[in-house]
Amino acid sequence: MSFEADLRRYGPPVCEPVSRQEALDYCARLTATHYENFSVVTWLTPREHRPAFQSVYAFCRWSDDLGDEIGDPARSLELLDWWRDELRAMYDGRAKHPVMIALRETVEQYGIPPEPFHALIDAFIQDQTVTDYQSYDQLRDYCTRSADPVGRLVLYIAGAFDDDNARLSDATCTALQLANFWQDVARDLAIGRIYLPREDRERFGYGDDDLRALRFTPAFADLLKFEIERTRGLFEIGRALIPRIPSELAVDIDLFSRGGLAILRRIEECGYDVLSARPSLSKAAKVRLLGRAALGLTWAKLRGKRSTRRSSTSTLEPAASPRWESPR
């Protein structure tokens, strides 16, 4: 079913009533049928956590579509205001929309506050008025609303939210958002948005006329190489989060990080020419990434078991005599 059909069925002024199970099924179907760089829910995602991930994804999908698929900024702003009202109603125990009915269970089960959801709506509202970013700092600030809240929601579901983990998650989520921007320069330009910071375009001598003509030049290649290098640095910072997440969910975090880095490599492999064709990951590449993430999870579990056995043994055996070592 298209978003237009869903909006007619579940949007204002009348939202067709659904049961709890229908709401959960709707979110699961939405998650399974929409294209993303990387699957939000994989066969490695613990079954008990899947409805939560699906409800969060469905909220993000609806928010994104209300901002991008309407074709009229004024109407999008009206609908995003309505969507925020639906969010408030959900927190007040008056959920009507199928996404909000499913999300209510997630919010109650994991104790998720409303701020990350409101921040995401703020980002889509910003999209209606800000279409050209002047500086990298301005773009990073946008990512604090458009990307970072998603990672924080995942931390709540994982039972791993704290300030340190949030900081690492923010680095990964911002990096994923930036990787998507560099991948989609042409696609974003087609809907009137430019995420390559103007200060960087001017620094490398890539003019507006060249960009609007989708003209690939050595200056553009140098510009994108620069953006990719600092985006990769954010991924490297964020990877420190993976061992801090419960192992059953760490594989999903690892997969997104690996996938984002793989997108950066694909852009490099095509010589930074994202203007002629959109670089993407093949199904085989995604399967390999999933396999590597699964292997990493298995290895982590095995190390954890060995560590537990050693710890258990040490409590049963007398401590070894201290060994003298020569000074270095």
Side-chain angles (χ1 to χ4, degrees), residues 98-153:
V99 171
M100 297 301 178
I101 292 172
L103 194 61
R104 178 68 184 175
E105 291 195 9
T106 299
V107 163
E108 290 182 336
Q109 181 177 356
Y110 298 100
I112 303 176
E115 287 77 12
F117 299 109
H118 281 291
L120 286 165
I121 294 174
D122 289 340
F124 295 115
I125 288 174
Q126 181 173 331
D127 282 338
Q128 309 312 307
T129 56
V130 181
T131 58
D132 191 345
Y133 286 82
Q134 301 301 307
S135 69
Y136 180 68
D137 287 343
Q138 185 187 16
L139 188 62
R140 286 287 302 271
D141 176 71
Y142 169 70
C143 291
T144 65
R145 292 177 290 281
S146 69
D148 297 356
V150 177
R152 293 178 177 227
L153 291 170

Side-chain angles (χ1 to χ4, degrees), residues 209-226:
D209 290 343
D210 286 332
L211 178 60
R212 297 191 185 282
L214 295 178
R215 191 173 294 121
F216 180 70
T217 67
F220 182 86
D222 290 341
L223 167 61
L224 214 57
K225 180 179 180 182
F226 170 74

Side-chain angles (χ1 to χ4, degrees), residues 8 12 45 58 66-67 71 73 104-106 115 177 199 207 245 284:
R8 287 193 298 271
T45 305
L66 290 172
R104 178 68 184 175
E105 291 195 9
T106 299
E115 287 77 12
Q177 178 79 90
E199 66 178 7
I245 298 295

Side-chain angles (χ1 to χ4, degrees), residues 25-276:
D25 291 344
Y26 174 77
C27 292
R29 186 167 61 253
L30 203 63
T31 303
T33 57
H34 275 70
Y35 167 81
E36 302 291 341
N37 273 327
F38 325 109
S39 298
V40 177
V41 175
T42 71
W43 56 269
L44 290 170
T45 305
R47 188 172 299 276
E48 65 271 21
H49 292 304
R50 291 178 189 177
F53 281 116
Q54 289 162 347
S55 67
V56 167
Y57 175 80
F59 174 87
C60 296
R61 182 75 270 154
W62 260 79
S63 302
D64 194 355
D65 286 347
L66 290 172
D68 282 357
E69 299 298 321
I70 303 303
D72 176 358
R75 178 60 175 157
S76 284
L77 288 173
E78 291 176 3
L79 288 169
L80 287 166
D81 283 343
W82 161 77
W83 191 234
R84 195 189 296 277
D85 287 340
E86 293 295 306
L87 177 65
R88 292 191 182 107
M90 182 271 289
Y91 270 95
D92 290 340
R94 298 181 288 107
K96 295 181 296 182
H97 193 280
V99 171
M100 297 301 178
I101 292 172
L103 194 61
R104 178 68 184 175
E105 291 195 9
T106 299
V107 163
E108 290 182 336
Q109 181 177 356
Y110 298 100
I112 303 176
E115 287 77 12
F117 299 109
H118 281 291
L120 286 165
I121 294 174
D122 289 340
F124 295 115
I125 288 174
Q126 181 173 331
D127 282 338
Q128 309 312 307
T129 56
V130 181
T131 58
D132 191 345
Y133 286 82
Q134 301 301 307
S135 69
Y136 180 68
D137 287 343
Q138 185 187 16
L139 188 62
R140 286 287 302 271
D141 176 71
Y142 169 70
C143 291
T144 65
R145 292 177 290 281
S146 69
D148 297 356
V150 177
R152 293 178 177 227
L153 291 170
V154 171
L155 290 178
Y156 278 109
I157 295 172
F161 184 88
D162 61 36
D163 289 344
D164 289 338
N165 285 352
R167 177 181 57 82
L168 296 172
S169 171
D170 290 350
T172 296
C173 289
T174 291
L176 283 167
Q177 178 79 90
L178 294 177
N180 185 246
F181 288 155
W182 315 149
Q183 178 188 28
D184 280 339
V185 173
R187 181 180 290 185
D188 289 332
L189 186 62
I191 59 173
R193 295 184 190 151
I194 301 172
Y195 293 105
L196 282 166
R198 179 171 296 277
E199 66 178 7
D200 296 341
R201 300 190 327 254
E202 291 177 352
R203 173 183 175 183
F204 286 92
Y206 189 72
D208 287 354
D209 290 343
D210 286 332
L211 178 60
R212 297 191 185 282
L214 295 178
R215 191 173 294 121
F216 180 70
T217 67
F220 182 86
D222 290 341
L223 167 61
L224 214 57
K225 180 179 180 182
F226 170 74
E227 303 295 3
I228 283 174
E229 285 174 351
R230 64 180 174 184
T231 302
R232 183 174 282 119
L234 287 172
F235 275 120
E236 293 306 319
I237 292 171
R239 284 190 66 80
L241 175 66
I242 295 169
R244 300 166 66 99
I245 298 295
S247 61
E248 66 271 14
L249 286 173
V251 64
D252 292 288
I253 309 301
D254 189 21
L255 180 61
F256 273 84
S257 183
R258 289 175 185 269
L261 288 166
I263 286 294
L264 297 185
R265 287 193 296 273
R266 282 290 297 118
I267 294 173
E268 291 170 330
E269 289 166 0
C270 71
Y272 306 101
D273 184 3
V274 298
L275 303 177
S276 302

